[in-house]
Amino acid sequence: RRRGPPAIGDFPTIPPRLTGHKTRYMYLSQMRPVPPGRPVCFVGICKIDLEAEDEASGMTGEILYPEGLEGGEAFFVPTDKPSKGEETVEDEGYLVTFLSSAHGESKMVVYDARTMATHPVASVSLPVRVPAGFHGLHINEKQLATQR
């Protein structure tokens, strides 16, 4: 049986190593409902358990951005130091996104994908505004070295 997510969102993301494989969790950039014709507003990130018994228990985590800030697409960055032996747990990693204010301020924030704690692990103020709709991708140092 297929069911919809328990939140309104877009830009679903999963750990890149699991692309094309069955996953338990996905993350959505969460939207606030807006009237037709109004621009979309991303207000947070939610974690969806695709193996949940019902829709009510499907959203296992939610991060809402501070008032006055809007986000964009969050992308999953896997940890390079697994906590359980040599195998990385599916939701072990970080969610990275950009937040912007109506006053032109932007910052990059990093959240813990496993705990979905509302306080970011890291936050970096940026010297210029990041436009709405900016997409990201993470590659590690080893992957970067193979690029020409």
Side-chain angles (χ1 to χ4, degrees):
R1 176 175 162 247
R2 297 187 128 203
R3 49 180 197 267
I8 300 170
D10 200 358
F11 305 120
T13 188
I14 60 171
R17 68 182 173 80
L18 297 175
T19 299
H21 299 279
K22 183 177 178 179
T23 60
R24 177 170 181 180
Y25 301 109
M26 77 169 178
Y27 305 87
L28 289 176
S29 293
Q30 192 170 356
M31 295 185 277
R32 175 178 56 222
V34 293
R38 301 287 300 172
V40 171
C41 176
F42 291 101
V43 295
I45 305 169
C46 59
K47 181 179 183 177
I48 308 295
D49 184 343
L50 300 171
E51 296 177 3
E53 293 295 319
D54 55 49
E55 289 182 26
S57 62
M59 188 162 62
T60 60
E62 179 180 47
I63 296 166
L64 295 176
Y65 304 138
E67 189 68 33
L69 294 176
E70 294 181 10
E73 175 185 25
F75 52 97
F76 190 95
V77 178
T79 183
D80 59 351
K81 297 178 181 159
S83 63
K84 291 190 174 184
E86 294 299 316
E87 192 169 326
T88 302
V89 179
E90 179 179 331
D91 62 351
E92 193 166 18
Y94 304 97
L95 296 164
V96 180
T97 191
F98 296 96
L99 301 180
S100 297
S101 75
H103 307 292
E105 301 156 332
S106 291
K107 58 183 171 178
M108 182 181 78
V109 289
V110 180
Y111 294 100
D112 186 317
R114 175 175 257 187
T115 66
M116 295 296 288
T118 58
H119 188 73
V121 174
S123 177
V124 179
S125 293
L126 302 174
V128 295
R129 185 178 186 283
V130 176
F134 187 80
H135 298 282
L137 174 69
H138 175 265
I139 60 172
N140 61 32
E141 188 175 353
K142 184 177 176 181
Q143 292 166 319
L144 182 61
T146 65
Q147 303 298 308
R148 294 187 180 240

